[in-house]
Amino acid sequence: MKKVLVVDDEPAIVTLLEYNLKQASFDVQSATNGADALSMIENNHYDIVLLDLMLSEMSGEEVLKRIRMDRNDTPVIVLTAKDTEFDKVFGLEMGADDYVPKPFSPREVIARINAVLRRYEKSEPSNQQNAAPIKSGDIETTGPFTIDHKQYKVSVNDQNLKLTPKEFELMQYLVGHENQVLSRDQLLQGVWGFDYSGQSRMVDIQIAHLREKIESDPKRPKYLKTIRGFGYEFSTGGDDAE
C-alpha cells in the first residue's frame, strides 16, 4: 500500500482527497500547514506528496524548496489554483514532478499519482524506444560524466553535481540517447510523460538549468547542444556548440 501525504489548508479538499485516495487503496496522512508537513516528511516515509502551493503560513513553494534542499527525492505533485504557464513551470523547476490545477477531479489526481509512481520505479530498465538499457546498480561513464543509476547521482570530472530529481531524469534520458538529436516533444514524452504535450517551454527552461550545472560555459555548451530547428543533442565528443 503506497503512502501519500496530502498538504492543503482547505479542509474540504483534504477530506475529498483522503476519501478518494483511501478508496483507491492508498494509505493517507494529511497536514494543513507547511511546518507540520516538513516535520512529517522528515520523520516518516511517504511514497508521494500532494502539495498545495497557496498555504496560509509557509508557502508551498518554500516547502518544496526545503524538501529538495534536504536532497529528499520523494515525488511531489503540486495542487494549486495558480494556473498560468509561469506558475506551472516555476513549480516544476523547483523540483515538483507534476502539476494539477484546481479545481480538479479526484480521478485525475489518482491517475497523476500512478503515472508519477511508475516513473519513479527506477530499478526497472528504461523502456523508452531506442534507449540504451540501464540496469539497477549500473555506474555508467561517458566522457567526463559518471552516472550512478542506483544512487541517482551524477558527477563531472569526479565532482558531484547537485541535481533535482527531474534534472537527474533528464540527464539520464539524454545519456541514454547520446549522439541523438531529440525534439522537445520527445523529451517531454520521455522525461515528463505524454500529459505534458505542447509544453515545450518547460523543456527549454529545464535544459538551461541543467546546462548551468554540467557546462563550464553554459552560453557556449560543449555537451548539451541546441540543434536549431530540431531540438537538443547530448554528446561527450565533438566541437563546442555555436
Side-chain angles (χ1 to χ4, degrees):
M1 184 179 289
K2 299 295 185 181
K3 193 171 183 178
V4 182
L5 176 64
V6 176
V7 186
D8 200 303
D9 58 3
E10 296 185 48
I13 290 179
V14 172
T15 299
L16 177 69
L17 288 171
E18 285 182 335
Y19 174 79
N20 284 276
L21 289 169
K22 288 176 181 177
Q23 290 295 307
S25 299
F26 288 98
D27 180 6
V28 188
Q29 294 185 356
S30 62
T32 58
N33 62 73
D36 287 348
L38 289 173
S39 177
M40 293 173 73
I41 292 168
E42 182 179 351
N43 293 291
N44 299 275
H45 167 75
Y46 295 99
D47 294 288
I48 196 162
V49 176
L50 302 181
L51 176 65
D52 180 30
L53 289 187
M54 299 180 69
L55 298 174
S56 57
E57 298 178 11
M58 181 188 298
S59 71
E61 288 98 332
E62 182 64 22
V63 173
L64 181 56
K65 180 179 178 181
R66 294 194 187 188
I67 290 172
R68 296 307 184 222
M69 284 178 63
D70 290 339
R71 301 188 65 81
N72 186 323
D73 64 354
T74 300
V76 176
I77 295 178
V78 165
L79 305 174
T80 181
K82 297 181 179 181
D83 193 24
T84 66
E85 180 180 2
F86 173 80
D87 290 322
K88 183 172 184 177
V89 171
F90 178 77
L92 293 164
E93 280 184 347
M94 292 293 294
D97 296 272
D98 205 343
Y99 184 110
V100 181
K102 297 178 181 179
F104 51 77
S105 72
R107 180 178 296 180
E108 178 186 6
V109 174
I110 291 169
R112 297 277 188 166
I113 289 173
N114 288 328
V116 169
L117 290 175
R118 284 195 298 270
R119 293 203 298 270
Y120 263 74
E121 294 296 328
K122 295 180 183 289
S123 60
E124 297 180 2
S126 172
N127 61 359
Q128 299 298 331
Q129 186 177 6
N130 298 324
I134 297 171
K135 298 179 181 178
S136 177
D138 278 353
I139 296 179
E140 184 176 0
T141 299
T142 178
F145 299 97
T146 300
I147 299 90
D148 188 329
H149 298 289
K150 184 177 181 180
Q151 298 296 323
Y152 318 133
K153 295 179 180 179
V154 177
S155 62
V156 56
N157 295 320
D158 298 323
Q159 298 294 316
N160 286 331
L161 302 176
K162 293 184 177 180
L163 303 184
T164 67
K166 189 56 64 181
E167 287 168 350
F168 176 84
E169 287 186 55
L170 177 58
M171 184 70 180
Q172 189 180 51
Y173 190 81
L174 290 166
V175 170
H177 295 77
E178 187 170 358
N179 299 316
Q180 298 180 38
V181 178
L182 301 170
S183 69
R184 290 170 176 82
D185 283 344
Q186 283 177 294
L187 289 167
L188 279 167
Q189 293 174 10
V191 180
W192 283 269
F194 68 90
D195 289 327
Y196 288 102
S197 179
Q199 297 289 338
S200 60
R201 175 62 176 160
M202 192 184 308
V203 174
D204 297 334
I205 292 174
Q206 200 69 267
I207 288 286
H209 280 274
L210 187 58
R211 277 178 174 157
E212 291 288 339
K213 297 182 180 181
I214 71 172
E215 301 281 0
S216 58
D217 183 357
K219 294 183 179 180
R220 291 184 58 83
K222 181 178 181 180
Y223 305 111
L224 183 44
K225 306 171 186 177
T226 299
I227 308 300
R228 291 185 178 88
F230 294 96
Y232 297 99
E233 179 186 14
F234 177 80
S235 175
T236 55
D239 298 327
D240 290 358
E242 296 181 357

